[in-house]
Structure formats: C-alpha cells, structure tokens
Amino acid sequence: MPKPAHPPRTSLNRQAFIDAALQVIREVGVEKLSMRKVASSLGVSAMAMYKHFPNKEELLAATLDAVIAKADVFPPTDLPWQDWVERVARGMYNALCAESSWVPLLGSMRLGPQAARATEAFVERLSAEGFSTEQAGRAYFAVIQVVIGGVCLHASITKQLQVPSTTEGTATDSKLTPLTLRHLKEGNPEGPNISPTLETMGQVDQLTLGLPMIIESLALQ
Amino acid sequence: MPKPAHPPRTSLNRQAFIDAALQVIREVGVEKLSMRKVASSLGVSAMAMYKHFPNKEELLAATLDAVIAKADVFPPTDLPWQDWVERVARGMYNALCAESSWVPLLGSMRLGPQAARATEAFVERLSAEGFSTEQAGRAYFAVIQVVIGGVCLHASITKQLQVPSTTEGTATDSKLTPLTLRHLKEGNPEGPNISPTLETMGQVDQLTLGLPMIIESLALQ
DNA sequence: ACCTGAACACCGTTCAAGT
DNA sequence: ACCTGAACACCGTTCAAGT
C-alpha cells in the first residue's frame, strides 16, 4: 500500500473547504449551499474544489462527518449505562437539532469514519456491560432510530407551527391547511379534542417520547 | 364563509399536476423533480403551474399529501389495539420505504390535511380504548418517531451498503470509508467484532427495533 | 499539482404579452 | 382565467488552458 508523501498540505486544503462549507451552511442552510458560494467565500474559483472533492455530495459527506466529530456526544464512562445511553442519545439529538438544516438529508447521506467511530464506542460500552454484541448492535440502532425520528419530528412540528397565516377563508382543496391545532379544531370540532395535545407537543422535547421506553426495555434484558 | 362556485375545474387541473408530479417522481426521484419536467410531461409550459401552485414547495407538499392519502394505512378496527397500532406503523413504514425518494425531506415538509386525518384517526382509536387524549397523542408521536427513524435508518443503511468499491488502498483522510462491515473490520480489528451485527442490520426490518418496545411500554399504562 | 474562465445543460421564478 | 416565451439569476459539472 503506497503512502502519499505529503498529506499535510492536501489535508489542510481539504479542511479549509470543509470549514468554509460549515460557515456557509451556518449562514444560508444546507439546502442553499452551493459549490460556488463555498469557493467564493475562500476567494477562490468554484472549480478549485474539484481537485479535493469529486462532487458536491462528497463535500457534504465530509462536512457532515466534521459535524459529527465536533458534536462529541460521549459522556464520561463512569456513569451507569442507562444514564450513559440517555446522555449519548440526548447529545446526538441536541447536536442535530442545533444544526437543524442537516435534517432534510438525514436519510440520504453517506456516513463517514466519525459516524463509524460512534457506533464502535457505543457497542464497546454496552458490551463491557454484559450485553452481547448482537444486543448492543440492536440497542445502538434502536437509539439512533429514536434520535433521528425525534429530530425529524422536532423539525416537522417546528415547521408546521411557523406557517404564516395562509390567507384562509376560502378553504378550497388548494389550501393545504397545516397540521396544527387550528386545522384539527376546524376540521373536526365534534371529534376528540386533540388540539391541546398537539399544542403541548410543540413544546415537548421530542426525544422523551420514545427514549425512556427503549431504555426501559433494554434494562429488562 | 364564501364557497367558490366551480371547484371541479380547478380541482381537476390541480390533480392533473399532482398526478404528473407523482409520475415524474416515480421516474427520477423527488430530488430531481423540476417544475419544467412536470409541466412538459403534460405537454404544457412550465409557467402554467404557477396558476395552481405558488411555488415548487407547495406542489411537493400537495403531492406528498396525495401519497399519504393513497397509503391508506388504517386496518380494520376490530383488531386488538396492540395489533392495530402495529399494523398502522408497519403500513406507514412500508409506504415510506416504497416511496423512498421522499425520505430526504421527511423532516422538512409541510404536512397536509391527509396527514392530519391520520393523526385524528389514530387518536380516536386509542381514546376509544380507554387512553386519555394526552396519552393517545403521545403514543401517536412515539409511533411516528419510530416509523420515521426506521425509514431513515433503512434508507441510510441501504445507501451505505450500495457504495461502489471506492478505489481503496490509499486510505488518506480524503477517503470517506462508509459505515460498513469492511470499515469497522479494518479500522479496529482487535475491538469487539461488530461486523456480523451490522451485516445483519442491513437485512433486518428497521421498524422491529423500536416498535415492540413502544407498544410494550404503552400496554403498561 | 493546483487553479482559472468560459461554456453546457440545467434550475426556480418574474414579467409582459397573448387568447 | 389560463397559458406562453423570453429573460434573470442562479445551479453542478466539464474541459481546455494557464502557472
């Protein structure tokens, strides 16, 4: 296996583009990031990036991995494992909610080495606690499932609530009333009164819905 | 509230665009759908759509609502509620996995009346079963959380596994090794052997990770 | 080895103009 | 009321050319 002689130079440049991408994302969001914007924020031609990343998707994958690395979700290992798992899940949830513009691509991104490192650390901890590798793996994915689901729910509910007053009154089929209290209130006034529940849901930490159930269920094994 | 005199004409045209959008999505995926493609598939100018939808996002929201309506996830109500909930969740999961090109925007889409109707039906069923509205609402969101998380996981794992052999050998920082057995095997050969677990995970129905835990936990209430 | 500029084939959306 | 065509301000990516 031939090792390249001068990784530092290349590595630095790569990192510079990733940092610039992170900054652009902070300013305009992931969905409006463009190769041209990242490049010009570095005072460089857009084509310069193609020496470091074969395409936009690869740049985004590398940038997401940098986000994951920075999140640093693993708490001290002297906690009881239930608390440890909870802390890990909450760390991931908070990191993703904070960088919420990544949410749209959660299901469609390639994962990098940092994501793999997280998997490893999680499974290692639970293995040390007496879980089988099989169990630990399933537990990890169950936690991830609940974290991702929670983040999507959080983003979605936030989105529904922030809908501007969509010039209602003429409720033709063309008006897409959002999933809000108002919708359900008007749509079915004699049905069960869901409104306060949904209203509350907007405030609630979406993670606390499923996570305790998962941990509780793990504890039985 | 003034009711418009001729909804059928308008409604039909709207529906035609939505149907065309569904067809385009089936062919090229949500992420490559464009106003121009939808319009030209109807043999019409791209600008024609702006009389029916204010922008692309609104067209997509209407189309997603049509998908939700067609999924028709509610099984007969004579099932025990645990089975009923499981069937609903599985129906949603399957529908979303089948139309998997929607996954990238799961957290960023506005929801339409069909989504609200689903919420209503779910809460109504659980209320009739003795749950409080509060409990039923939380149960609904917990199920949705697990479904969305499962779909994202499914899409993500599929994505990682289908990565082409990325000309490995020169493992510089610039190579983003995907989250696969290979990555973990090479990266940490002396650690716990996670590979078989991850390999299995690719086959496993991602929904079965968290869903039983949720239902089990609900049954205790 | 790295960067540039021009160019290609697309986008979403606006606007004036047609019927 | 509905549709069109041209135009604007963007995209990602390719390619030949520069140093």
Side-chain angles (χ1 to χ4, degrees), chain A residues 57 104 107 109-111 113 116 120 133 138 141 145-146 149 155 159-160 163 176 183 188 198 201 209-210 213, chain B residues 57 104 107 109-111 116 120 138 141 145-146 149 155 159-160 163 176 183 188 193 198 201 209-210 213 217:
Chain A
E57 191 183 350
M109 289 281 300
R110 286 261 311 284
L111 295 179
E120 235 179 300
T133 309
R138 292 179 68 86
F141 279 103
Q145 176 181 19
V146 161
K159 181 113 190 169
Q160 314 309 314
V163 165
L176 281 179
H183 180 91
N188 187 12
L198 284 180
M201 282 301 156
L209 288 170
M213 304 184 182
Chain B
E57 191 183 349
M109 289 281 300
R110 287 258 311 284
L111 295 179
E120 233 179 299
R138 291 179 68 86
F141 279 103
Q145 177 181 17
V146 161
K159 180 112 189 168
Q160 315 309 315
V163 165
L176 281 179
H183 180 93
N188 189 11
N193 189 10
L198 284 181
M201 282 301 156
L209 288 170
M213 304 184 182
S217 178

Side-chain angles (χ1 to χ4, degrees), chain B residues 6-28:
Chain B
H6 46 65
R9 177 81 158 83
T10 300
S11 191
L12 259 179
N13 285 345
R14 242 186 96 83
Q15 193 57 47
F17 284 115
I18 291 174
D19 290 341
L22 281 171
Q23 186 53 41
V24 170
I25 287 169
R26 228 166 278 130
E27 285 161 10
V28 303

